[in-house]
């Protein structure tokens, strides 16, 4: 079951959901609109190997905006620190930006329960598109769970801003 | 409702969820990490293809370099399925962060027979993949209502299967 907007507010008040900073104007009937942080990362290499640590260039998004190149892949992050120890979050793009051909994740929309930090966004533009710091870029939904809860304690815990892939830490790749 | 790690484990033990082979260490707080199978195929220039024995390829031991603008059909190494819970297959965030699409648009599975799932794989930048690597996550969802089993054809395939539209 998915939480309604008013239930999201109730769970925020009970500390079962964390959204910081929180703005009530960003609540939707069954989701919360989140903002884009003010920096991006892009890989220096063209060819990526998950077994090898990949260096990144950091890009500051200034107020005039930054144009995403359609042949490139960028990592962004939510402006908000978000998560829940009780519900499973799933992120989606905002339909207004999807209608412009912007992916904000390309496969991994499911967030682990207990992952409370800035969430990394996987940005891919079908056509060049300008993004701005703090713009409303996506939506988060919260889902009820069945079973005893184990909280996330993985390699992306407590990340701040966009975090590149840490797949090279996997021992069996 | 989505199943937690503990609940997935319980239901695997009860055979109400099938994941074979199963490794406890591949459980996440609300999903299970599946690994990449060995076989794949590529669609031809007309977007057509048939993953028959003739054009089914094997990922080399040293890995396979995927190229942008090519659609690869790959498969899960594991046999996965459930008559009791709805499965959803996505890529791992570690792979998504490298620009790898895993399942294009259709991440929702059907209730029914366990099999190896075909994965639509597409990359933004060239990327290496290795058979046996942890590549995606499957989550399990409790349905509401009487269960009608999937009678479509895709669950009969354990190798990458092209569209039968």
């Amino acid at each position: 079951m998915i939480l309604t907007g008013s239930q999201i507010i109730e769970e925020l008040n009970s500390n079962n959901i964390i959204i910081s900073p929180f703005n009530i104007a960003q609540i939707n009937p069954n989701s919360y609109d989140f903002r884009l942080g003010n920096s991006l990362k892009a890989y220096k290499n063209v060819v990526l190997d998950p077994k090898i640590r990949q260096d990144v260039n950091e890009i500051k998004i200034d107020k005039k905006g930054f144009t995403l190149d359609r042949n490139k892949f960028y990592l962004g992050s939510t402006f908000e620190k978000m998560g829940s120890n009780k519900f499973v979050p799933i992120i989606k793009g905002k339909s207004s930006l999807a209608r412009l051909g912007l992916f904000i994740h390309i496969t991994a929309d499911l967030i682990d329960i207990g992952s409370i930090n800035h969430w990394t966004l996987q940005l891919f533009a079908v056509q060049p598109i300008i993004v701005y710091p703090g713009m409303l870029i996506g939506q988060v939904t919260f889902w009820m769970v069945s079973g005893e809860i184990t909280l996330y304690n993985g390699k992306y815990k407590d990340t701040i801003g966009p975090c590149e892939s840490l797949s090279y830490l996997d021992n069996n790749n | 409702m989505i199943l937690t790690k503990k609940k997935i484990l319980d239901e695997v033990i009860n055979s109400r969820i099938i994941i074979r082979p199963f490794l406890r260490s591949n459980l996440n707080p609300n999903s299970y990490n599946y690994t990449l199978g060995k076989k794949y195929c590529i669609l031809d220039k007309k977007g057509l293809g048939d993953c028959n024995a003739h054009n089914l390829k094997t990922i080399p031991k040293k890995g396979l370099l995927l190229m942008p603008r090519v659609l690869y059909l790959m498969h899960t190494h594991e046999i996965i399925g459930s008559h009791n819970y709805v499965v959803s297959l996505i890529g791992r965030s570690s792979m998504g962060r490298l620009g790898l699409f895993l399942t294009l648009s259709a991440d929702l599975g059907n209730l029914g027979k366990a099999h190896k799932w075909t994965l639509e794989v597409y990359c933004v930048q060239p990327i290496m993949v290795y058979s046996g690597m942890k590549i995606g996550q499957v989550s399990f969802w409790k349905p509401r209502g009487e269960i009608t089993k999937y009678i479509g054809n895709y669950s009969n395939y354990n190798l990458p299967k092209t569209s039968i539209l």
Side-chain angles (χ1 to χ4, degrees):
Chain A
M1 269 193 291
I2 186 170
L3 300 198
T4 63
S6 61
Q7 189 68 31
I8 294 172
I9 296 172
E10 216 164 282
E11 300 294 349
L12 271 161
N13 292 335
S14 315
N15 277 326
N16 289 324
I17 288 177
I18 308 294
I19 300 176
S20 173
F22 173 75
N23 181 349
I24 200 153
Q26 287 163 234
I27 278 275
N28 300 313
N30 41 261
S31 63
Y32 181 82
D33 283 342
F34 58 77
R35 296 180 179 278
L36 176 66
N38 57 13
S39 66
L40 301 173
K41 284 181 176 174
Y43 293 105
K44 288 183 179 171
N45 284 338
V46 174
V47 177
L48 303 174
D49 187 340
K51 283 187 176 179
I52 298 165
R53 184 185 182 139
Q54 299 292 331
D55 289 334
V56 290
N57 288 316
E58 296 198 31
I59 302 159
K60 179 120 177 98
I61 315 174
D62 71 36
K63 283 188 181 151
K64 285 182 284 183
F66 177 82
T67 305
L68 301 181
D69 182 327
R70 66 174 172 173
N71 295 315
K72 280 195 176 165
F73 184 68
Y74 302 90
L75 296 170
S77 82
T78 59
F79 174 69
E80 295 86 355
K81 179 183 166 186
M82 292 190 288
S84 173
N85 286 341
K86 191 174 171 191
F87 303 100
V88 171
I90 293 185
I91 59 168
K92 305 279 174 195
K94 269 185 77 70
S95 113
S96 300
L97 289 167
R99 287 167 209 234
L100 294 168
L102 180 68
F103 286 82
I104 66 139
H105 76 79
I106 60 167
T107 185
D109 56 354
L110 185 70
I111 311 282
D112 282 311
I113 196 161
S115 170
I116 302 173
N117 38 251
H118 292 141
W119 293 334
T120 293
L121 304 174
Q122 304 151 6
L123 299 172
F124 176 64
V126 176
Q127 290 181 217
I129 181 170
I130 304 172
V131 293
Y132 300 92
M135 75 191 291
L136 296 175
I137 199 160
Q139 300 182 328
V140 55
T141 54
F142 293 94
W143 298 78
M144 287 175 71
V145 302
S146 168
E148 194 184 300
I149 290 170
T150 311
L151 298 179
Y152 179 70
N153 192 25
K155 51 189 181 288
Y156 298 107
K157 192 176 157 71
D158 299 330
T159 52
I160 296 168
C163 181
E164 56 272 39
S165 176
L166 302 177
S167 58
Y168 65 93
L169 296 174
D170 288 347
N171 47 19
N172 66 342
N173 263 350
Chain B
M1 281 196 283
I2 183 170
L3 270 52
T4 63
K5 176 181 190 169
K6 176 73 168 56
K7 186 78 174 174
I8 296 172
L9 178 62
D10 288 348
E11 296 298 50
V12 166
I13 291 167
N14 295 334
S15 297
R16 285 166 54 83
I17 287 176
I18 307 298
I19 302 176
R20 270 199 316 264
F22 176 78
L23 270 180
R24 210 179 258 235
S25 58
N26 280 347
L27 279 166
N28 300 312
N30 40 260
S31 63
Y32 180 85
N33 285 334
Y34 60 80
T35 61
L36 184 62
K38 287 188 177 137
K39 300 288 183 185
Y40 73 98
C41 73
I42 302 170
L43 301 192
D44 68 20
K45 281 177 185 162
K46 290 177 188 158
L48 300 170
D50 184 11
C51 290
N52 57 30
H54 177 66
N55 55 16
L56 207 56
K57 298 183 173 76
T58 304
I59 298 175
K61 277 203 173 138
K62 57 179 186 359
L64 175 71
L65 181 62
L66 306 185
M67 297 305 289
R69 296 187 196 86
V70 178
L71 180 66
Y72 297 83
L73 294 181
M74 300 187 144
H75 68 99
T76 63
H77 171 61
E78 291 81 3
I79 289 172
I80 302 169
S82 175
H83 289 296
N84 309 288
Y85 299 104
V86 175
V87 304
S88 170
L89 283 99
I90 59 170
R92 285 180 82 199
S93 105
S94 290
M95 301 307 293
R97 287 170 207 243
L98 291 168
L100 190 71
F101 284 82
L102 220 100
T103 71
L104 290 186
S105 175
D107 58 358
L108 185 68
N110 283 299
L111 283 159
K113 197 165 92 183
H115 64 287
K116 295 184 175 184
W117 295 73
T118 292
L119 304 168
E120 308 93 29
V121 182
Y122 186 83
C123 61
V124 179
Q125 292 180 222
I127 182 171
M128 292 295 297
V129 295
Y130 303 88
S131 67
M133 76 189 297
K134 286 187 273 185
I135 201 158
Q137 301 181 331
V138 55
S139 56
F140 298 89
W141 296 77
K142 216 176 194 168
R144 181 168 174 182
E146 193 191 328
I147 291 172
T148 315
K149 283 172 192 167
Y150 177 61
I151 48 158
N153 285 318
Y154 291 119
S155 64
N156 293 325
Y157 297 96
N158 284 313
L159 288 167
K161 180 63 191 161
T162 40
S163 174
I164 51 176
L165 196 67

